Amino acid sequence: MANPFDLSGKRALVTGANTGLGQAIAVSLAQAGAGIIAVGRSAMDETGDLVRKAGATFTEVRADLATLEPIARVMEEAGAGGRIDILVNNAGIIRRADAIDFTEADWDAVMDVNLKNTFFLTQAVARQMLPDGKGGKVINIASLLSFQGGIRIPSYTASKSGLAGLTKLLACEWASKGINVNAIAPGYFVTNNTSALRADPERSAAILGRIPAGHWGQPSELGGAAVFLAAPASDYVHGIVLPVDGGWLAR
Ligand code: NAP
């Protein structure tokens, strides 16, 4: 029987792949055999080295995903090397302030990257995936804030809760057409996204005290879930938001 986790011959587009979870996902997909197209606004040399070391091809596409403007060019450059089989919508930002003080600028900035751009990039990739009938895999990086409220991050919670809904809607529209749309909800991982939380001794201790696994997640601990949702192993899995959270939601 063929290895259900084998991604040989597949091409995966990963946004925000220069660092953190995006880098770890790119490396894990590469280790499973996929060629990587890394899309982001910063240099991705380190990710390129790690992906090539895993024996996979690496293409870098520079784009600021704060607006829809670069999407057509991203599709052109990413598609030049062949079909996109896997899309990982990982790029995301967070802005912290009490709800009572939250600004329109912080609302729009987060919604634009985390939700609006994610939808329209997914639409562009699906327009390429659908016509040839070969299907594909879309993986959205959601959050525990797709399930919970949190505090001091209103636009982030709205965007990630919205992303969970969008994941289900797209799964309902495209499951019968061979595209699997699913999401991963990371718990608390050691990346730039959580640096403010980890720098606050009180919040940091409170968070750690609630994680049954007893440690903050390391980015590499997310890779296996991404490989699963990118691989034939998940062909009958549609519209789920898979927590990878050290047991946080079980508490
Ligand atoms: P991170 O290190 O801050 O990574 C965020 C990534 O998104 C970076 O590559 C960043 O690029 C990219 N990005 C942000 N704005 C962009 C834009 N306008 N155009 C292009 N790329 C942009 O944090 P992370 O934890 O790895 O975050 C990755 C994803 O996981 C995010 O969607 C985040 O919400 C989600 N998540 C993280 C955690 C956690 O505990 N860390 C938990 C739940 C969900 P630059 O480096 O150039 O800014």
Side-chain angles (χ1 to χ4, degrees), residues 167-200:
T167 299
K168 293 172 204 169
L169 173 137
L170 295 175
C172 291
E173 289 204 18
W174 297 341
S176 65
K177 298 176 168 64
I179 299 181
N180 297 75
V181 185
N182 291 292
I184 294 172
Y188 288 88
F189 279 78
V190 178
T191 69
N192 300 332
N193 176 286
T194 54
S195 53
L197 286 182
R198 285 179 287 111
D200 178 337

Side-chain angles (χ1 to χ4, degrees), residues 63-107:
D64 183 339
L65 302 173
T67 71
L68 306 186
E69 185 271 330
I71 288 182
R73 179 179 56 80
V74 167
M75 290 305 298
E76 213 170 285
E77 291 183 29
R83 188 178 194 279
I84 300 163
D85 304 290
I86 299 156
L87 169 66
V88 182
N89 288 309
N90 165 79
I93 58 172
I94 191 164
R95 298 278 169 88
R96 297 177 195 277
D98 292 341
I100 203 73
D101 299 321
F102 212 74
T103 65
E104 183 179 1
D106 282 344
W107 179 271

Side-chain angles (χ1 to χ4, degrees), residues 5-246:
F5 296 97
D6 183 19
L7 299 180
S8 302
K10 302 291 183 190
R11 296 176 79 240
L13 190 163
V14 183
T15 65
N18 59 311
T19 184
L21 303 185
Q23 181 180 75
I25 289 168
V27 171
S28 292
L29 296 179
Q31 287 167 343
I36 302 299
I37 308 148
V39 178
R41 61 183 173 179
S42 303
M44 291 172 268
D45 300 348
E46 189 181 78
T47 306
D49 289 345
L50 293 168
V51 164
R52 285 189 207 96
K53 208 177 280 176
T57 60
F58 182 80
T59 307
E60 176 173 317
V61 179
R62 284 289 185 92
D64 183 339
L65 302 173
T67 71
L68 306 186
E69 185 271 330
I71 288 182
R73 179 179 56 80
V74 167
M75 290 305 298
E76 213 170 285
E77 291 183 29
R83 188 178 194 279
I84 300 163
D85 304 290
I86 299 156
L87 169 66
V88 182
N89 288 309
N90 165 79
I93 58 172
I94 191 164
R95 298 278 169 88
R96 297 177 195 277
D98 292 341
I100 203 73
D101 299 321
F102 212 74
T103 65
E104 183 179 1
D106 282 344
W107 179 271
D108 287 345
V110 172
M111 295 300 274
D112 283 351
V113 177
N114 294 13
L115 197 53
K116 183 175 177 180
N117 208 293
T118 294
F119 173 70
F120 284 102
L121 180 62
T122 305
Q123 181 191 63
V125 172
R127 284 176 177 168
Q128 177 243 258
M129 282 175 173
L130 287 168
D132 67 10
K134 291 182 182 165
K137 304 275 187 174
V138 176
I139 303 167
N140 294 324
I141 303 305
S143 166
L144 294 178
L145 286 317
S146 300
F147 302 103
Q148 300 181 308
I151 53 168
R152 308 194 70 248
I153 46 172
S155 57
Y156 187 79
T157 298
S159 71
K160 295 297 186 177
S161 295
L163 190 54
L166 189 59
T167 299
K168 293 172 204 169
L169 173 137
L170 295 175
C172 291
E173 289 204 18
W174 297 341
S176 65
K177 298 176 168 64
I179 299 181
N180 297 75
V181 185
N182 291 292
I184 294 172
Y188 288 88
F189 279 78
V190 178
T191 69
N192 300 332
N193 176 286
T194 54
S195 53
L197 286 182
R198 285 179 287 111
D200 178 337
E202 234 170 78
R203 292 288 316 275
S204 178
I207 287 166
L208 184 59
R210 204 203 129 140
I211 302 174
H215 67 274
W216 285 65
Q218 291 299 324
S220 60
E221 293 180 285
L222 200 76
V227 170
F228 167 61
L229 291 177
S234 62
D235 277 354
Y236 198 58
V237 178
H238 293 281
I240 65 158
V241 184
L242 174 63
V244 180
D245 63 354

